[in-house]
Amino acid sequence: MSEKSKLIQGRTGPWEIVLGLEIHAQVASNSKLFSGAAVGFGAGPNEQVALVDAAMPGMLPVINRHCVEQAVRAGLGLNAQINLWSRFDRKNYFYPDLPQGYQISQFKDPIVGEGIVEVERDDGTTFIVGVERLHLEQDAGKSIHDLDPNFTYVDLNRAGTALMEIVSKPDMRSSDEAASYVKKIRTILRYLGACDGDMEKGNLRADVNVSVRRPGAELGTRCEIKNVNSYRYIQQAIEYEARRQIEILEDGGSIHQETRLFDPTKIETRSMRSKEEAHDYRYFPDPDLLPLVLDPAWVQSIKDSLPELPDPKRKRFESQYGLSHYDAGVLVADQARAAFYEQAAAGRDAKLVANWTVNNLLGRLAENGGDIETSPIPPEDIAGLVKLIEDGVISSKIAKEVFDHMWAGEGTPAQVVEKFGLVQITDTGAIEASIDKIMAANPDKVEAAKERPQALGWFVGQVMRDTGGKANPAAVNEILKVKLGL
Amino acid sequence: MAIDAATVRKVARLARIREPEERLEPLAQELNTIISWIEQLEEVDTDGVEPMTSVVAVALPLRDDVVTEGGDTRRILSNAPKSADGFFIVPKVVE
């Protein structure tokens, strides 16, 4: 994507969007950040609440080692600086689903400092997004406003769950880039096992900071759109918000820094006036918690235990298996996909396995709203299919038919080929008989082919049709050339 | 620093403390007295002294990631002025 095409044309000239994201990723843990209550989805109201979470007087928070470890893992995965000394602050505000009256967060001294993420655009090009920081904090509970016209219902099950907030630098310039960045962060966190990345459940959500400016000018005033929880909503919210700001500026107005809410049904953002005053959070160090001091040897052991991450894996897939940048990218976008591929590719034509996995299997799964975890075809059957092609038992064309039967659960590739009689005809006698028959029936075409060798293709097509697609195309070509005297 | 009535109004509002208008000016004076008293601490030379985070030099204890609490909705809700079906019930919060 060229720099120019990212600009938005207004009535008075081009504008550039500047985007920074705060991603809230729920730490995958059994229990909460500061209490022994369970973390999970689907429990009854207030069933997963410890006395600390309900802010009962005298209760003290004790931090979860596993959550700290996940934050360090995430920091390492984002190529970021790990701060061996960090501490927790209180972020003060009032809301019914925040019983303490403050959120325990990290303000001045976060556990993870600056990092760098390489992000792929949809067209395969890459760009760099700087990470400002990653810190640990508590999630709030849940307020339900629609159960009663006069009251709000509060469930504290989510209160105190560990979140990692990942703050980017304002390095994105289009809604596509923002979505690609979130995808990349999600992939990295899922590889690390630090967050399950389930956006539907709100386990990964983003606050989007949007501003616009004339190309090359100073940064404009930004508005923050809170809690957007799908790629599509992120893009729609940005597109709407950028247009809104451009219109105000082109009418001679100015942007008022504020928090806004995205409404997915109306596809618009609107002001959250209730949050206006809340911006004065009066942070101060939490006196209930000592500074968090990490042992460098522990950080090193975490580093040594990291899995192969998406970027190095992609480079390895390209060099080891000779895959295209695109195919490698599709396969490493998800750890389960990459593992499936590597299992299928062992000892086989790796590029052919990639073609079948990416174009056929993942394509078919996507059409049905699934991914590799729901594949009805196991990796050994993709390997089996490719082996049949390699061994010349079936042609690529027939392989598509075999694949359809495999998809329908009609057996392994070998069973399908056997059951439906799809073995490729390599017997030259049978192919010759078919060619002779077609040549005898079409003497005019025979003459034409002698004049124009390109007409050979017509004969190949006829032979394939006559043999139900089972003739070996290479053998057909060879024999045809001899018979037509080409 | 000096605190005026407007600052007191803002702080009271942020802390959800209701103060009548006529109390704001006296409160500002009281707070200014307290602050000027604390400002005496600025006379101490703290150059090169690390901010104290705790009176005891120990690191933050870490606990294992195991579930030890929960499943006690009744106890959690026992102080709630109003509750039903396992929920706390509070006056309508309009977003």
Side-chain angles (χ1 to χ4, degrees), chain A residues 148 150-154, chain B residues 77 80-92:
Chain A
D148 189 299
N150 302 313
F151 295 97
T152 293
Y153 282 50
V154 178
Chain B
L77 294 174
K82 193 170 163 66
S83 67
D85 307 325
F87 290 99
F88 290 93
I89 299 180
V90 301
K92 191 80 170 177

Side-chain angles (χ1 to χ4, degrees), chain A residues 49-360:
Chain A
V49 183
L51 297 174
V52 178
D53 309 322
M56 293 295 173
M59 296 296 118
L60 287 173
V62 187
I63 200 165
N64 184 332
R65 178 185 289 109
H66 175 78
C67 294
V68 174
E69 182 176 342
Q70 299 317 305
V72 172
R73 284 170 74 82
L76 293 168
L78 301 175
N79 310 299
Q81 183 196 323
I82 305 302
N83 293 327
L84 298 177
W85 193 96
S86 69
R87 102 183 151 181
F88 291 90
D89 299 284
R90 291 185 177 179
K91 177 179 178 177
N92 299 280
Y93 68 92
F94 284 100
Y95 207 74
D97 55 26
L98 187 80
Q100 291 166 144
Y102 57 86
Q103 175 192 32
I104 305 178
S105 182
Q106 296 190 295
F107 183 57
K108 198 165 158 282
D109 299 291
I111 185 165
V112 175
E114 293 192 340
I116 272 184
V117 186
E118 191 179 313
V119 184
E120 294 79 30
R121 297 190 186 90
D122 285 343
D123 66 4
T125 59
T126 58
F127 63 103
I128 298 291
V129 177
V131 170
E132 182 73 40
R133 56 190 278 154
L134 175 153
H135 66 255
L136 278 168
E137 64 182 26
Q138 298 176 300
D139 205 347
K142 198 175 169 191
S143 295
I144 304 158
H145 304 289
D146 55 5
L147 285 180
D148 189 299
N150 302 313
F151 295 97
T152 293
Y153 282 50
V154 178
D155 176 11
L156 297 181
N157 282 353
R158 216 179 54 191
T161 298
L163 298 179
M164 295 176 282
E165 178 172 331
I166 302 164
V167 182
S168 85
K169 301 201 171 188
D171 287 349
M172 288 149 277
R173 296 288 177 269
S174 70
S175 60
D176 287 343
E177 287 191 355
S180 298
Y181 167 73
V182 178
K183 272 181 203 166
K184 186 59 181 279
I185 294 288
R186 180 176 179 271
T187 300
I188 292 171
L189 294 178
R190 279 170 52 85
Y191 263 69
L192 295 165
C195 169
D196 70 12
D198 191 333
M199 297 178 80
E200 267 175 42
K201 288 185 184 148
N203 295 354
L204 192 118
R205 49 194 198 261
D207 297 344
V208 189
N209 286 294
V210 183
S211 66
V212 298
R213 66 175 174 189
R214 292 296 187 187
E218 295 278 300
L219 285 176
T221 305
R222 67 192 160 84
C223 288
E224 181 182 14
I225 310 163
K226 281 276 182 197
N227 268 338
V228 197
N229 72 342
S230 83
Y231 302 127
R232 198 160 59 94
Y233 291 169
I234 288 170
Q235 288 180 288
Q236 289 175 339
I238 292 168
E239 297 292 338
Y240 176 89
E241 180 60 19
R243 280 281 166 204
R244 187 188 73 86
Q245 293 184 13
I246 289 170
E247 270 176 39
I248 291 173
L249 293 170
E250 293 197 326
D251 286 343
S254 59
I255 305 302
H256 172 48
Q257 183 170 344
E258 63 178 353
T259 305
R260 298 178 69 85
L261 195 71
F262 176 65
D263 182 339
T265 52
K266 292 185 183 152
I267 314 184
E268 62 177 31
T269 65
R270 59 170 184 264
S271 186
M272 282 175 85
R273 301 202 187 280
S274 62
K275 294 265 176 185
E276 287 305 282
E277 266 195 320
H279 267 303
D280 195 344
Y281 291 125
R282 295 149 293 140
Y283 285 97
F284 66 90
D286 191 320
D288 285 345
L289 290 157
L290 290 158
L292 174 59
V293 181
L294 305 178
D295 177 357
W298 188 50
V299 174
Q300 185 59 45
S301 75
I302 295 171
K303 197 170 191 172
D304 294 341
S305 76
L306 292 186
E308 184 183 30
L309 288 165
D311 289 343
K313 197 186 277 285
R314 182 179 198 163
K315 287 190 185 86
R316 180 169 66 79
F317 275 24
E318 288 174 37
S319 60
Q320 181 179 339
Y321 299 116
L323 301 189
S324 69
H325 190 65
Y326 176 82
D327 279 353
V330 172
L331 290 170
V332 306
D334 182 273
Q335 214 167 12
R337 280 187 195 173
F340 183 103
Y341 170 73
E342 291 211 86
Q343 211 180 324
R348 298 270 70 81
D349 179 329
K351 275 180 146 166
L352 209 47
V353 172
N355 284 343
W356 280 95
T357 309
V358 174
N359 299 333
N360 299 78

Side-chain angles (χ1 to χ4, degrees), chain A residues 29-38 45-47 49-51 56 62-66 85 87 94-96 144-145 148-156 272 274 277 280 282 289-291, chain B residues 10-11 13-16 51-56 58-73 75-79 82 84-95:
Chain A
S29 65
N30 298 319
S31 62
K32 293 183 180 178
L33 182 55
F34 294 113
S35 87
N46 291 304
E47 279 177 5
V49 183
L51 297 174
M56 293 295 173
V62 187
I63 200 165
N64 184 332
R65 178 185 289 109
H66 175 78
W85 193 96
R87 102 183 151 181
F94 284 100
Y95 207 74
I144 304 158
H145 304 289
D148 189 299
N150 302 313
F151 295 97
T152 293
Y153 282 50
V154 178
D155 176 11
L156 297 181
M272 282 175 85
S274 62
E277 266 195 320
D280 195 344
R282 295 149 293 140
L289 290 157
L290 290 158
Chain B
K10 188 184 173 205
V11 172
R13 163 90 188 124
L14 287 171
R16 297 294 187 276
M52 189 177 75
T53 51
S54 168
V55 286
V56 277
V58 291
L60 183 68
L62 306 167
R63 55 166 239 282
D64 289 336
D65 182 30
V66 289
V67 177
T68 53
E69 280 184 271
D72 201 356
T73 311
R75 196 150 73 116
I76 291 298
L77 294 174
S78 59
N79 291 332
K82 193 170 163 66
D85 307 325
F87 290 99
F88 290 93
I89 299 180
V90 301
K92 191 80 170 177
V93 186
V94 187
E95 192 50 75

